[in-house]
Amino acid sequence: MTDEASPDNKQPESTPPPAPTPKPAPASPAPAPQAQEEQVEKEPELPKLVVDVCATIGELKPYASESDTPAVEVAPADLVKSLTTLRDNPDFAFSMLMDHTAIDRIDDGQFELVYRLYSISTLSMLLVSTKIPRDNPVIPTVCEVWDIAEWQEREVYDLFGVLYDNHPDLRRVFLEDDWKGFPLRKDYEDDFMLTLDVDKLR
Amino acid sequence: MAVKVSTLDERIKLTDSADSPLDTQEYFINMGPQHPATHGVLRLMLKLDGETVREVIPVLGYIHRGIEKIGEHSTYRQFVHLTDRCDYLSAMMNNWAVSLMVEKALKVELNDRIEYIRTIMAELERIQSHMLWWGVLGMDLGAFTPFLYGFRDRELITDIFEETIGCRLTMNYIQPGGVMDDIHPNFVDRVKKVIEYAKPKIDEYEELLSGNVIIQERLRNVGVLSADKATSLGVTGPVLRASGVPLDLRRVAPYGVYDKVNFEVAVGSVGDCWDRYWVRIEEIRQSMSMIEQLIDNIPAGKTMLMKPAKKTVLPEGSHYAQLETARGILGIYAVSDGVSDKPVRIHMRSPNYNNVWSADEMTRDSRIGDLVANVSSIDIVVPDIDR
Amino acid sequence: MLDFLFGQLVATHATFDVVTLSDRTTQALAEDPWLAAGYALLGLAGVGGFLSLLGMALIYVERKVAAHFQCRLGPMRVGWHGMLQSVADAIKLLLKEDIIPDRADRVLFLIAPVFSIIATTLGLILIPMSPSLQVVDLNIGVIFISAVSSFGVLGILLAGWSSNNKWSLLGAMRAGAQFISYEISVTLSLLVVTLFAGSLQLSEIVQSQQDGWWIWRGHIVGLVAFFVFLIASTAELNRPPFDLPEAESELTGGFHTEYSGLRFSFFFLAEFINMFIASALAATLFLGGWMPFHIGGLHTFNGLMDLIPPGLWFAGKTTFIIFLIMWVRWTFPRLRVDQLMRLEWKFLLPVGFINLFAAATLVITKLYFFPW
Amino acid sequence: MDITLNPADLTHTIAFYTLALTSIVAALIVVTAKRIFRAAVALAVVLICGAGFYILLNYDFIAGVQLLVYVGGIVILIVFAVMLTSSLESIEEPPSLGRKALGLFSSLAFLATAVIAFSETKFPLSSISAEQPKDVAKAVGRKLLDYGAGGYVLPFEVISLLLLASVIGAIVVARNPKRKNEGSAT
C-alpha cells in the first residue's frame, strides 16, 4: 500500500466541499504540480519542463504548433539518441512511452510522429514530435528504448504506412497482411469506403 | 534502408528442434479467434514445445472497426458514442475521457453535481467491471461457479444504470459539458442498498476463490512482470500497480472529485497473477468506500452546461486528456484545425492494446494453463484492443 | 424387484444368499439353453437400459446440483422441475448431425466412442448393488474393474488421435498421462481393501464388512486409502479439478472437440457412468456396499439396521459419494498439468505405498478398530 | 432329433469360434495395416480376445491380468509412443522385397514348427475343467514369491530389472543430443 501523492491530496481536501474550487483543467494530462500546469495553459511562455529539456539536450527545440502538453520537436536523425537521454537522465526519467501515433499533415506533405512520454517519478508528461516526408516515410525505431514501442509502431505502420528502420517485426497489426493501402492516411480510398462529403452537402 | 516488412506466415516459421533437454519439436497452435479463454475474438498463435509455451504471438484485428477513421468524420459529441463500443465494461469512463478532453480544450468549468455524478458512475462501473473479471478469472481457471456469482452481483449495478440511463452496457451517459440526464430519484437509495449488499459479497468472493489452495498454486509466482519491465512494456492500470508501481491517475492527477475522497491505491509487490488478482479485489473495496463517501453529498446544480445542439469547435492545436479506466490509462488525443467541428486526427491510447502484449513476456516457458491465467489476469476487452 | 428390496429382511445378516444373474444363466444353461439365452438377453437389456437411464439421471442431478451451488434453478422447463430435460437433450443429441472431420482417420474416429462405452458397461456389470442384484460376480472383480477401465482411456486416446486436431491430441496426451499415473494410486488403495478382506471378489469384500465398514475398521489406513481412492479416481474420471483432458478454457474441449451428436453423447454418457462406477466402487470397498451399518457384536443394533433394505444402503452411499464429487467439481478450479503430475508422483504415490505397508501390518497384527 | 448337445458345450463352442475368428482377423490387420495407429488398436483387440480364451478356460485371474498388463499397460504405451513419434497422415512404406522374403521365410518356419509341435504333443482330452479354480490368484501369488523348486521369484525379479532397463533406455533414446532414426523411441 503506497500512498505517495498524499501530500498533494491533503490540500484540496481542506477546501469545504460545497464551494467548488474552480478548476480550469479538471484533469490536467500533465500531472506535474498543479500550479505550474495552470501557467502552461494561460501564458504563452514556455513550460519549465520544455525549457529544461531543451537546455539539457541540444537536439530538442520547443514545439512550433499549439499543444496543451509540454512539447518539443526533434529531427528524425536525432530521435533515438534524444529519447534515450530523456529516458535515462534522472532529472526527467521518462520511463514510459505512454503513446505513439502519427498525424497525416497532408497539406505539408509530412507525417508528424508524436511520442508521448510519461515519467512515473516526476509525474510529468512530454510530447516529442518529429516530422518525416510523406513520400518517403522512414524513421528509426525506438524499440530499444521502450519495449511497447514495438507494437505502437506496428500500429502506426499498419494505419499510416510509416516504415520503421531496424524494427524487429514490422508487420500489420490490425489489417490483413495483403491489405492494400494505409487507412488512416488522408488520401486513402478503397472500394468499401463511403466517399460522401457531408460538409459539401451543407 | 534496412526496413523489412514481414507477414504472419514469415513470423511463424518453425525451427527444426526445440530448445529442450528432450528430443522434441516445436509446433504452432492457434488459440482463437474463437476460443473460450480469449474472451472474444482475440487470436493467439502459440509456439509450443509439448505443453510448454515458448512464444505467444497475438494476432489482432478481428473486430477492427476503424474507430479512429470514423472519428475523423464525426463531431466530438458523436465520437463519444463510438468510445462506448471500445471498452464496453468501462463505457462511461471512455465517455468521460472524451468529455474531459473537450472540456479542457474549451475551458469549460463544471459544477460539483456533474463531477459527483460522474465519479460515482465511474466507480460503480469499475466495481461491475472487476466483478465480471473476477468471475471470468474463475471460469478460466476451471471453476465455473464464480462466473455466475460475479454476474449475479454485477446485474444489480447494471440495473441501477438502466434506471438512470436506460442502457446497461453502452451508455454514453457522460457527455462533453455534463451528463446526459439527471440521476433517477431512486438512484441514491439504490446505490446505497447495492453497496450494502455487495460489501459482504466481496468477502464471499474471497472465501470462494482467494483462500483456495489450487488458486494460490495457479496464481502465485505465475506470470511475473517486474516493475521495470512493466513500465517499459507500457502496461497501466491494475497490471502495472500489481508490479509495484503506484501509478493511479485518480491519485496522482485527480480528475472528477477524486481529490475529495479518501482512498488507498492498491499496489502489489511481486507482479504475479496473484498480485493482479489481489489489486483488483482491493480496488473493488476502495471503490465502494469512495461511493459511500460521495453518495450522500451530491450537491444540487445543473447537469448539462454545454448546449448539445451547438457546434463544438476546439481551438487549433493538439489536445490530450487521460484518465484511469478499470483496465488502465485511457488517453484521448485530438488534433484540431480550429475551423471544423471535426478533428483532423483523433487517437485513443487504449489501455488494452498496450496491456495485451505483456502476455508474451509473462507466459514464456510456462504452461498453457499459465497462459490462460495470465491472459485472464491482464483482463482484456478485445474491442478496445482492436478499436 | 421385491426380492431386491426385501430380500435382506428375510435373511439374517450373517447369511446372504448371493445369486447373480450370471449364476442363474449358468444354472439355466444346464436345463434349457433357451432359458439361458433369455437370462443373458435380460441381463444385456437390463444393463443397457440401466446405463442410459442412469446416465440421464446423473446428468440431471449434476445440472441441478450445479445450479443450486450457483444460486440458480437449473433446468425447469421440460417436465416437472426439468425432470425430462435429459430426455430432451438425448433426443437432440440423437438427431444432431454426426460430423466427421474431413482429414480425420475415419475408422478410428468412429470406433473410439464405442471403446469408451464398452469399458463402462463392463465395469458396471460387476457392481454388487444388493445381495441379489449383481449381473456378474467374478472372483477377480477388483482386478477386472481396473483392467476394463483402461479400455476407456484407450477410447480417449483414439478419439484425440483420430480427430487430427492439435487441441484434441493435446487433450488425449494429457488424458493418457493422467490415467496411467493415477491408475497406480487407485490400484494401491484397492489393494489395501483386498488385503483387509482377503479376497478380490466384490461380493466377498462386501460380506467381509458385516462387522463394520473398512473405512473405520481399518481406521487411519482405511481413511487414507478412501481419500486416496477418491482423489485418484476423480482424476481418472477427468472431472474437475482434474479435467485437464477436456479443460474447455485451455483446450476448447480436448479430446472430444471434434465430436458431435451421438458419438459425443457416448463420451458424455461414459463419463457420467464412470462417475457412478467409481462412486459405487468406493462405497463397496470402503463403506460396505449394500451392507447395512453394523457394529460387530451388537446384534440388536445390527438387526435394527437390517430393517433398511440393502438396496437403499447402497443407493444412499453411492449418492453421497457422487454428491461429494459434484461438490468438488463446482467449487474447485482446475490444476495445472505439471501440478497434477506432481500431486500424483510426489504425494499420492508415496502415501499409497506407505499406506499399503501399514495395511499389511494391520492385517498381520489384527489391530482393527473392532477387534472382537 | 437324437443329437444331444450339451448346452454348455454349445455356448463354449460358439464363444470359442467367435473369439478365434476375431483374433485372426485382428491379427491380420496388425500386420497389414498401413497406418501404425490402426495396427496398435488391432493389437489391443487380439490381446482382448486372448483374455477371452482364458475366461473360456476358467482362468479368470489370468484373463484379468492379461487385460490389466497388456491392454491397460502395453497397448496404451505403444499408442502413446505412436502418438509421440508419427503424425496421422504418415503412412507406412510397403516393405522392400528383401524384407518381404525374410518375413515370408520366418513365418513359414514358425508355421512349420507350430504344426510339428501340435502334431507331436498329446493334449489331455478334458478341455474344459469342470470346477471353478477359486484360488488361482493365491496359487499364482505363491508361485511368484516362491524361491524353492517350481518358484518363480528369480524370473519375476529379472523381469522387473528388464522393465527398469527399458525405462532408462527410453530416457536415453528421448534425449536431445542423439537424434537417432525415427521409430526407435518405442
Side-chain angles (χ1 to χ4, degrees):
Chain A
M1 212 50 35
T2 24
D3 200 0
E4 67 161 35
S6 55
D8 296 346
N9 210 22
K10 287 284 177 321
Q11 188 234 337
E13 239 171 65
S14 59
T15 57
T21 32
K23 274 179 290 178
S28 50
Q34 282 86 352
Q36 184 204 332
E37 185 60 32
E38 283 164 27
Q39 279 179 359
V40 175
E41 296 290 326
K42 280 172 188 149
E43 287 160 43
E45 75 183 36
L46 291 170
K48 185 172 171 295
L49 180 64
V50 174
V51 178
D52 284 355
V53 163
C54 292
T56 317
I57 304 165
E59 288 88 356
L60 300 179
K61 292 192 292 288
Y63 191 46
S65 326
E66 289 289 320
S67 166
D68 60 350
T69 320
V72 291
E73 274 185 16
V74 68
D78 304 322
L79 183 74
V80 178
K81 200 177 131 228
S82 41
L83 287 185
T84 314
T85 322
L86 280 173
R87 183 195 63 178
D88 295 338
N89 189 324
D91 291 346
F92 312 127
F94 287 109
S95 52
M96 265 178 105
L97 177 62
M98 190 61 97
D99 191 14
H100 165 54
T101 189
I103 302 150
D104 187 3
R105 305 277 188 196
I106 194 163
D107 300 334
D108 308 336
Q110 283 177 324
F111 283 126
E112 182 183 347
L113 297 177
V114 175
Y115 297 83
R116 188 175 296 275
L117 319 186
Y118 192 81
S119 166
I120 287 168
S121 48
T122 67
L123 301 176
S124 51
M125 185 181 278
L126 181 71
L127 197 82
V128 178
S129 160
T130 181
K131 286 182 172 146
I132 51 171
R134 243 175 143 264
D135 47 4
N136 182 23
V138 181
I139 185 133
T141 174
V142 294
C143 287
E144 317 278 281
V145 193
W146 297 282
D147 289 338
I148 190 64
E150 178 179 342
W151 298 290
Q152 294 185 343
E153 285 175 353
R154 268 180 64 192
E155 188 188 339
V156 175
Y157 160 70
D158 190 11
L159 303 176
F160 284 93
V162 174
L163 298 168
Y164 289 89
D165 204 356
N166 283 328
H167 192 285
D169 180 24
L170 192 63
R171 69 193 153 83
R172 291 197 180 260
V173 66
F174 293 140
L175 305 176
E176 291 141 39
D177 283 330
D178 53 356
W179 192 272
K180 299 272 188 304
F182 301 99
L184 277 185
R185 288 187 180 190
K186 290 283 177 195
D187 54 358
Y188 172 79
E189 273 180 12
D190 69 24
D191 298 342
F192 315 107
M193 235 171 118
L194 289 173
T195 43
L196 188 71
D197 196 335
V198 186
D199 282 335
K200 245 177 217 168
L201 279 178
R202 276 191 199 138
Chain B
M1 281 310 128
V3 181
K4 194 184 169 300
V5 177
S6 66
T7 59
L8 186 63
D9 290 341
E10 288 169 35
R11 184 73 179 76
I12 55 174
K13 285 271 159 58
L14 280 173
T15 45
D16 259 4
S17 64
D19 181 26
S20 86
L22 292 178
D23 187 5
T24 53
Q25 218 181 14
E26 286 171 346
Y27 60 104
F28 271 102
I29 191 164
N30 240 327
M31 199 179 207
Q34 267 82 40
H35 189 279
T38 55
H39 304 178
V41 283
L42 177 68
R43 175 182 174 202
L44 302 170
M45 295 290 298
L46 311 183
K47 192 198 236 179
L48 294 179
D49 173 14
E51 281 267 352
T52 313
V53 181
R54 295 289 179 209
E55 201 175 354
V56 182
I57 306 171
V59 180
L60 310 179
Y62 284 86
I63 41 172
H64 177 60
R65 293 150 296 178
I67 280 181
E68 292 176 10
K69 186 80 178 172
I70 303 173
E72 290 176 11
H73 297 273
S74 48
T75 63
Y76 299 102
R77 201 172 280 280
Q78 288 168 340
F79 188 68
V80 170
H81 296 251
L82 298 177
T83 56
D84 277 336
R85 275 80 185 164
C86 291
D87 185 352
Y88 47 78
L89 291 178
S90 327
M92 272 193 281
M93 292 183 247
N94 294 3
N95 303 159
W96 196 357
V98 182
S99 310
L100 265 185
M101 191 267 297
V102 173
E103 286 152 10
K104 211 180 82 183
L106 294 174
K107 304 201 170 52
V108 178
E109 285 175 26
L110 298 177
N111 63 27
D112 257 16
R113 185 176 181 79
I114 297 173
E115 298 282 34
Y116 268 76
I117 293 174
R118 284 183 176 185
T119 312
I120 292 169
M121 286 290 188
E123 289 311 312
L124 278 176
E125 185 139 52
R126 194 183 310 275
I127 293 172
Q128 62 96 357
S129 168
H130 283 347
M131 277 174 169
L132 179 69
W133 158 83
W134 177 81
V136 171
L137 177 108
M139 198 175 68
D140 280 346
L141 295 180
F144 193 75
T145 305
F147 185 67
L148 288 145
Y149 279 37
F151 256 98
R152 178 193 65 189
D153 300 341
R154 177 181 176 269
E155 284 296 304
L156 299 172
I157 298 180
T158 45
D159 283 347
I160 296 179
F161 290 154
E162 193 182 7
E163 197 177 46
T164 288
I165 304 166
C167 309
R168 295 167 76 90
L169 195 68
T170 54
M171 286 168 270
N172 59 73
Y173 178 59
I174 298 178
Q175 299 280 328
V179 292
M180 195 85 146
D181 210 341
D182 206 349
I183 47 173
H184 195 272
N186 292 341
F187 181 76
V188 173
D189 282 346
R190 283 192 78 165
V191 169
K192 276 190 204 159
K193 258 186 213 149
V194 164
I195 298 291
E196 198 70 15
Y197 161 85
K199 269 198 160 172
K201 291 293 167 196
I202 303 303
D203 298 331
E204 190 185 304
Y205 288 8
E206 294 245 45
E207 257 172 51
L208 184 56
L209 275 195
S210 312
N212 191 311
V213 187
I214 302 177
I215 280 283
Q216 297 270 337
E217 284 279 314
R218 288 293 301 273
L219 297 182
R220 281 213 193 264
N221 294 318
V222 166
V224 178
L225 201 62
S226 69
D228 285 348
K229 196 72 189 172
T231 353
S232 181
L233 274 169
V235 298
T236 46
V239 184
L240 181 63
R241 289 195 282 279
S243 295
V245 183
L247 177 66
D248 188 337
L249 290 183
R250 294 177 293 169
R251 167 57 48 82
V252 301
Y255 52 96
V257 283
Y258 286 114
D259 48 2
K260 291 183 187 164
V261 290
N262 286 315
F263 68 101
E264 283 175 6
V265 179
V267 176
S269 50
V270 185
D272 53 3
C273 284
W274 172 253
D275 277 356
R276 292 189 276 276
Y277 175 88
W278 181 83
V279 162
R280 286 200 179 91
I281 291 282
E282 189 59 29
E283 273 187 12
I284 300 181
R285 294 217 167 94
Q286 295 297 333
S287 296
M288 285 180 178
S289 117
M290 271 187 245
I291 293 172
E292 280 187 333
Q293 292 170 44
L294 293 174
I295 192 73
D296 281 329
N297 309 320
I298 303 177
K302 285 175 76 177
T303 50
M304 175 53 87
L305 303 179
M306 284 165 71
K307 283 205 179 85
K310 207 181 148 207
K311 197 173 168 183
T312 312
V313 181
L314 297 197
E316 190 184 349
S318 64
H319 308 281
Y320 182 79
Q322 59 181 9
L323 53 71
E324 188 82 27
T325 72
R327 278 161 198 78
I329 294 177
L330 171 74
I332 302 284
Y333 176 60
V335 180
S336 171
D337 56 1
V339 184
S340 165
D341 61 344
K342 290 164 189 160
V344 171
R345 165 99 175 98
I346 192 155
H347 172 68
M348 295 175 75
R349 185 252 178 238
S350 80
N352 289 296
Y353 181 79
N354 291 279
N355 285 359
V356 71
W357 306 103
S358 57
D360 183 33
E361 173 69 25
M362 289 175 189
T363 315
R364 281 202 182 203
D365 297 336
S366 45
R367 312 289 167 156
I368 298 177
D370 289 341
L371 170 80
V372 174
N374 288 335
V375 171
S376 192
S377 75
I378 297 173
D379 188 15
I380 48 170
V381 169
V382 184
D384 193 37
I385 298 175
D386 283 354
R387 298 196 295 284
Chain C
M1 207 61 211
L2 219 64
D3 187 23
F4 159 58
L5 281 177
F6 300 107
Q8 177 60 31
L9 277 177
V10 183
T12 60
H13 86 272
T15 55
F16 291 110
D17 184 23
V18 181
V19 182
T20 68
L21 206 58
S22 72
D23 288 345
R24 284 185 191 168
T25 316
T26 320
Q27 283 166 14
L29 204 54
E31 299 152 14
D32 183 0
W34 293 109
L35 195 62
Y39 270 120
L41 269 179
L42 189 71
L44 272 177
V47 168
F50 185 69
L51 200 77
S52 39
L53 275 182
L54 186 67
M56 287 200 282
L58 281 173
I59 289 166
Y60 174 73
V61 170
E62 169 104 64
R63 295 172 79 168
K64 276 292 184 192
V65 167
H68 287 286
F69 273 126
Q70 294 164 349
C71 316
R72 58 189 174 91
L73 290 171
M76 289 296 282
R77 298 284 173 86
V78 193
W80 185 78
H81 276 249
M83 292 283 261
L84 298 176
Q85 184 65 47
S86 298
V87 180
D89 286 344
I91 292 170
K92 184 204 78 174
L93 281 171
L94 287 175
L95 297 178
K96 238 176 140 178
E97 188 189 358
D98 187 17
I99 299 166
I100 302 171
D102 200 27
R103 298 178 69 189
D105 189 330
R106 277 186 79 93
V107 179
L108 296 183
F109 190 82
L110 296 184
I111 64 166
V114 181
F115 261 95
S116 262
I117 205 85
I118 284 180
T120 310
T121 318
L122 288 179
L124 194 65
I125 58 173
L126 285 170
I127 305 289
M129 301 189 196
S130 98
S132 50
L133 194 74
Q134 184 181 12
V135 181
V136 183
D137 186 23
L138 283 181
N139 58 7
I140 50 146
V142 174
I143 287 187
F144 189 77
I145 278 198
S146 65
V148 293
S149 62
S150 61
F151 293 179
V153 78
L154 196 59
I156 289 179
L157 286 173
L158 283 183
W161 166 265
S162 61
S163 298
N164 200 4
N165 174 330
K166 283 174 186 168
W167 291 118
S168 300
L169 188 63
L170 263 178
M173 299 295 279
R174 282 180 173 189
Q178 187 172 323
F179 183 87
I180 291 177
S181 308
Y182 279 85
E183 179 74 6
I184 303 171
S185 275
V186 168
T187 313
L188 283 179
S189 42
L190 288 179
L191 282 180
V192 168
V193 177
T194 312
L195 274 183
F196 284 161
S199 170
L200 291 165
Q201 197 167 357
L202 284 171
S203 58
E204 274 185 25
I205 288 175
V206 175
Q207 294 282 10
S208 73
Q209 303 183 62
Q210 57 176 300
D211 288 340
W213 306 342
W214 286 122
I215 193 166
W216 58 69
R217 274 198 79 194
H219 44 89
I220 303 172
V221 181
L223 262 179
V224 171
F226 177 67
F227 281 111
V228 168
F229 181 81
L230 214 56
I231 294 173
S233 55
T234 312
E236 274 195 19
L237 295 172
N238 300 333
R239 278 178 71 85
F242 307 104
D243 64 335
L244 288 120
E246 49 197 280
E248 88 275 349
S249 64
E250 294 168 29
L251 304 184
T252 65
F255 64 88
H256 58 57
T257 307
E258 300 286 358
Y259 280 86
S260 65
L262 191 60
R263 283 169 217 289
F264 168 75
S265 71
F266 272 14
F267 281 122
F268 206 60
L269 198 63
E271 189 187 315
F272 276 90
I273 305 292
N274 278 334
M275 180 169 75
F276 174 79
I277 293 174
S279 307
L281 203 57
T284 306
L285 297 175
F286 298 97
L287 303 180
W290 45 257
M291 185 65 72
F293 182 82
H294 283 169
I295 297 173
L298 301 181
H299 291 291
T300 325
F301 177 77
N302 294 350
L304 273 177
M305 282 294 152
D306 287 346
L307 287 178
I308 303 171
L312 283 190
W313 278 105
F314 173 79
K317 291 167 189 173
T318 311
T319 313
F320 171 68
I321 295 171
I322 288 178
F323 178 72
L324 269 188
I325 294 178
M326 285 181 180
W327 188 357
V328 166
R329 166 164 187 178
W330 296 107
T331 315
F332 278 4
R334 184 183 304 124
L335 284 164
R336 204 171 60 212
V337 66
D338 54 330
Q339 288 164 351
L340 182 89
M341 290 292 143
R342 210 181 322 141
L343 175 71
E344 163 62 21
W345 294 101
K346 293 199 174 162
F347 179 72
L348 286 185
L349 195 59
V351 166
F353 272 118
I354 292 168
N355 200 41
L356 185 61
F357 185 73
T361 321
L362 199 66
V363 171
I364 293 168
T365 55
K366 297 208 187 317
L367 282 173
Y368 297 124
F369 193 62
F370 300 117
W372 54 84
Chain D
M1 292 298 260
D2 212 356
I3 307 163
T4 49
L5 256 179
N6 187 349
D9 272 352
L10 178 69
T11 34
H12 269 89
T13 316
I14 292 171
F16 172 78
Y17 278 108
T18 318
L19 283 173
L21 209 66
T22 318
S23 58
I24 287 172
V25 171
L28 281 175
I29 293 174
V30 172
V31 286
T32 55
K34 288 213 167 55
R35 295 185 177 173
I36 189 161
F37 204 91
R38 290 189 182 177
V41 175
L43 182 64
V45 175
V46 175
L47 294 170
I48 292 169
C49 289
F53 289 126
Y54 287 128
I55 290 178
L56 281 187
L57 295 171
N58 268 337
Y59 282 101
D60 291 356
F61 179 74
I62 309 292
V65 170
Q66 161 100 354
L67 286 180
L68 192 64
V69 174
Y70 283 96
V71 183
I74 308 271
V75 169
I76 294 216
L77 278 181
I78 289 176
V79 163
F80 234 71
V82 172
M83 283 167 98
L84 284 169
T85 47
S86 70
S87 81
L88 184 69
E89 271 87 13
S90 72
I91 285 175
E92 288 294 294
E93 294 288 312
S96 64
L97 204 67
R99 276 180 66 190
K100 267 183 186 165
L102 209 65
L104 194 68
F105 173 73
S106 55
S107 44
L108 280 178
F110 180 75
L111 183 68
T113 321
V115 166
I116 293 167
F118 276 119
S119 54
E120 292 291 302
T121 317
K122 283 205 166 178
F123 291 104
L125 272 174
S126 60
S127 58
I128 303 156
S129 51
E131 86 284 359
Q132 187 108 341
K134 258 252 172 186
D135 41 3
V136 176
K138 198 176 265 177
V140 169
R142 288 203 189 284
K143 279 277 182 195
L144 279 181
L145 291 177
D146 196 0
Y147 46 83
Y152 289 94
V153 74
L154 187 67
F156 192 55
E157 291 301 316
V158 169
I159 286 172
S160 67
L161 269 181
L162 180 77
L163 288 176
L164 181 68
S166 63
V167 166
I168 295 170
I171 295 170
V172 170
V173 166
R175 255 183 38 207
N176 198 10
K178 287 179 188 163
R179 283 187 63 87
K180 288 267 181 85
N181 52 331
E182 283 81 18
S184 62
T186 24

